[in-house]
Amino acid sequence: MAGSKGKTQTVRDMVLSLGLIMVAGLVMYFFIPHDDSAAPDVKRVDYRVELLTARRAASYPVAAPEGLSPDWKATSVRFDGAQFDAWHLGFHSPDGEYVAVEQSTEKRARFIDDASQGAQETKATEVIGGRTWTRYTGGRYDALVLEGTDGATTVVAGTASFAQLAEMAGALKLA
């Protein structure tokens, strides 16, 4: 039985190696600091230049907020004039949620579906800042869609509450 001693040592060595790896993993877990509660600091972007460029190039009045508190941080901005004159302006709300202003000349239904991440129309409307907005609800984003516009569709969407979406919609100036 010369062969059985080799197999026994191989299994024993494998179990010892596995135990050593588990001990090393536990040591790393307990002695390496980790804090999952601290959110990363969100960097503010300046969107003024892109806004001026978009307002000159777009075939529709481009929306941007005025008068929001400094607690709202602009985090992303882009204008793509190559396809559908697409305008995007993303914000980090005061309570840490995401809100985006999206505009495009793309086909309305397709654009709303993309901008709202598949949210469904509720038929509920509200007047915000003198303009009528329709509510959309979804699994990931909720949205407000501006009604009565020709040429471009305007959507305010994100993970924020409808109150914060309405705050953003009310602050939008079209120029």
Side-chain angles (χ1 to χ4, degrees):
M1 292 239 197
S4 66
K5 183 177 179 187
K7 289 181 183 177
T8 306
Q9 283 183 334
T10 303
V11 170
R12 184 177 137 273
D13 290 345
M14 186 172 59
V15 169
L16 287 173
S17 295
L18 182 60
L20 184 61
I21 290 170
M22 290 177 66
V23 168
L26 288 171
V27 167
M28 285 189 293
Y29 178 79
F30 286 114
F31 290 106
I32 294 177
H34 51 281
D35 184 12
D36 296 334
S37 64
D41 187 30
V42 177
K43 296 200 185 231
R44 184 182 305 267
V45 298
D46 186 358
Y47 59 90
R48 292 177 294 184
V49 172
E50 287 86 351
L51 177 61
L52 290 172
T53 302
R55 285 185 169 165
R56 277 189 235 128
S59 59
Y60 55 84
V62 175
E66 289 182 9
L68 285 176
S69 77
D71 295 333
W72 287 83
K73 288 183 182 179
T75 58
S76 58
V77 60
R78 68 183 165 275
F79 175 73
D80 183 0
Q83 288 191 334
F84 308 115
D85 284 351
W87 169 247
H88 161 85
L89 186 54
F91 284 86
H92 189 80
S93 72
D95 67 352
E97 297 297 329
Y98 179 70
V99 176
V101 176
E102 306 279 357
Q103 287 183 290
S104 177
T105 58
E106 185 177 8
K107 184 179 173 188
R108 185 176 174 85
R110 181 180 302 155
F111 178 68
I112 291 170
D113 188 56
D114 287 345
S116 69
Q117 305 247 334
Q120 300 296 311
E121 184 176 0
T122 65
K123 305 289 185 200
T125 61
E126 53 187 297
V127 176
I128 304 166
R131 297 181 290 240
T132 302
W133 297 79
T134 300
R135 282 186 175 206
Y136 283 67
T137 59
R140 184 165 181 192
Y141 282 2
D142 289 327
L144 295 170
V145 178
L146 183 59
E147 298 299 327
T149 59
D150 291 327
T153 304
T154 302
V155 177
V156 176
T159 59
S161 67
F162 274 111
Q164 286 186 318
L165 295 176
E167 184 179 350
M168 176 61 74
L172 291 181
K173 302 298 179 220
L174 300 168

